[in-house]
Amino acid sequence: LIRIDEKKATYEATYYLLAKGYRKIAYVTGNRASLMAVDPRFKGYVEALKAFDINPNPDYVFPRRLTISDGKSTLTDVLALGEARPDALLVISDEVASGILSQCHLLNIKVPETLAIIGFDDQPIAEALYPGLTTVRQPIKEMGAYVAAPIIANIEGREQPEKPELNTKLIIRGTA
């Protein structure tokens, strides 16, 4: 099994927002709300908030968001919170984040001045958006190579390769 440290990745992204002065940070995820307690990404988000003595706000958790369309409706839900709305969003998919960003353009919401956005994955769309999407880059090529390496080693009768250290990286662009 090959994995990144998802908890560390979201901790670092949330901490980055907190260090920039954002205090009302929402968490947008594809998971169901019932899975939050076991979600390592959510745990990283909560730990970073606690490092700044901020209690997670249940109104700032937006579950079951998976598509660009879900991103657009997420912004509607965020704005419905009125003055209590978040000032930053940690979004667990670049696809959903792109929907939020596109809706911000339609509604003349300045990003990151009014609302900061961080995505996750560093999909090609992240760089093409305006402003470019700040996102967590996963080492997809390295992950794929490691998945294939043991199979190739078996076929060729070689020793199994060592599991590589797979690190994420926060890619700073224009949305946060």
Side-chain angles (χ1 to χ4, degrees):
L1 187 62
I2 188 159
R3 287 209 156 128
I4 59 162
D5 188 340
E6 295 177 294
K7 181 178 173 185
K8 180 181 174 199
T10 53
Y11 178 92
E12 290 172 352
T14 306
Y15 195 96
Y16 172 80
L17 289 167
L18 291 159
K20 290 200 71 158
Y22 298 100
R23 292 296 178 267
K24 299 188 299 184
I25 303 169
Y27 182 79
V28 183
T29 182
N31 283 339
R32 294 186 309 269
S34 61
L35 294 176
M36 290 300 122
V38 297
D39 177 2
R41 293 182 187 191
F42 184 71
K43 287 178 181 179
Y45 159 78
V46 169
E47 262 186 36
L49 292 176
K50 292 193 178 207
F52 278 73
D53 293 321
I54 297 171
N55 288 320
N57 182 339
D59 291 340
Y60 289 178
V61 177
F62 299 92
R64 301 185 81 122
R65 312 297 165 119
L66 299 167
T67 65
I68 291 171
S69 179
D70 289 342
K72 291 177 179 182
S73 66
T74 297
L75 185 63
T76 302
D77 295 340
V78 164
L79 295 175
L81 295 172
E83 291 300 313
R85 73 178 180 262
D87 55 8
L89 304 175
L90 178 62
V91 186
I92 304 306
S93 140
D94 288 347
E95 185 175 348
V96 176
S98 71
I100 294 168
L101 183 58
S102 103
Q103 198 68 3
C104 284
H105 290 316
L106 283 174
L107 300 175
N108 260 344
I109 295 169
K110 294 197 182 312
V111 176
E113 297 84 356
T114 304
L115 183 67
I117 304 167
I118 293 184
F120 204 99
D121 293 328
D122 196 27
Q123 295 293 323
I125 188 76
E127 196 172 8
L129 294 168
Y130 181 81
L133 181 64
T134 297
T135 186
V136 176
R137 176 180 290 158
Q138 294 192 74
I140 300 297
K141 283 184 188 172
E142 293 87 346
M143 291 168 80
Y146 178 71
V147 168
I151 297 166
I152 294 168
N154 265 352
I155 292 169
E156 295 177 350
R158 290 186 287 113
E159 190 176 307
Q160 289 295 311
E162 285 188 37
K163 184 176 179 182
E165 185 174 332
L166 298 170
N167 295 307
T168 58
K169 181 179 179 187
L170 185 62
I171 305 300
I172 309 298
R173 294 193 181 103
T175 60

